[in-house]
Amino acid sequence: MIESMPLASIVGGLLIGSSAALLLVFNGRIAGIAGVLGGLLEGLAERGPTEEKRWRVMFVAGLLIGGVVLRGFDPAFLPGPVGDSLITSTIAGLLVGFGTRLGSGCTSGHGICGLSRLSTRSLAATVIFMAVAIATTFVVRHGIGVTA
């Protein structure tokens, strides 16, 4: 694997950006995870296979298989569950889902796909995501004395 964190970040960013661009160019689809998964869950109610379900299933399967393959090569990349309880993780997941619906998309949809399409809505959402993340980190590290 790549030993340098900046180099790994650049390579990862290039892979994510080029993958999102290829999906848009060749399939006309936006690679926002919340939209892909939400559309898949809505489509499950429909009977029979459809092209719409097919590409969404392949997209989500690729994410999951990619994680499994990466863990096979280097388990340190995906070390396993964090120390939080199942209740805490469930509440956190529900809050993330609520925020994703409230923001009309997730960080990948707005931050990668939306900004690259010069969407003003995505710019506003990304600025808010980043501001909240910075404020949360500051409060956790300095306000309540928890360190990472």
Side-chain angles (χ1 to χ4, degrees):
M1 275 290 140
I2 300 170
E3 295 297 322
S4 167
M5 187 58 76
L7 183 58
S9 300
I10 290 169
V11 170
L14 288 171
L15 287 171
I16 292 169
S18 59
S19 297
L22 289 170
L23 184 65
L24 183 61
V25 168
F26 290 113
N27 293 352
R29 309 290 190 204
I30 296 172
I33 307 306
V36 172
L37 188 58
L40 175 60
L41 294 175
E42 290 170 6
L44 290 177
E46 301 171 13
R47 291 189 165 229
T50 65
E51 187 59 35
E52 190 66 20
K53 275 197 272 187
R54 191 172 294 118
W55 84 264
R56 290 174 189 274
V57 165
M58 296 301 289
F59 188 96
V60 173
L63 292 174
L64 297 173
I65 291 168
V68 170
V69 169
L70 179 61
R71 187 171 178 129
F73 281 112
D74 188 356
F77 269 71
L78 299 171
V82 293
D84 292 332
S85 69
L86 180 60
I87 293 172
T88 302
S89 296
T90 301
I91 292 170
L94 291 171
L95 287 172
V96 168
F98 174 76
T100 298
R101 279 294 199 194
L102 184 65
S104 299
C106 59
T107 54
S108 64
H110 286 300
I112 297 167
C113 303
L115 290 180
S116 66
R117 293 180 300 115
L118 304 177
S119 166
T120 53
R121 184 176 82 172
S122 290
L123 176 61
T126 303
V127 167
I128 291 169
F129 293 154
M130 295 304 294
V132 170
I134 291 166
T136 301
T137 300
F138 181 82
V139 168
V140 168
R141 291 211 173 160
H142 303 289
I144 59 176
V146 177
T147 59

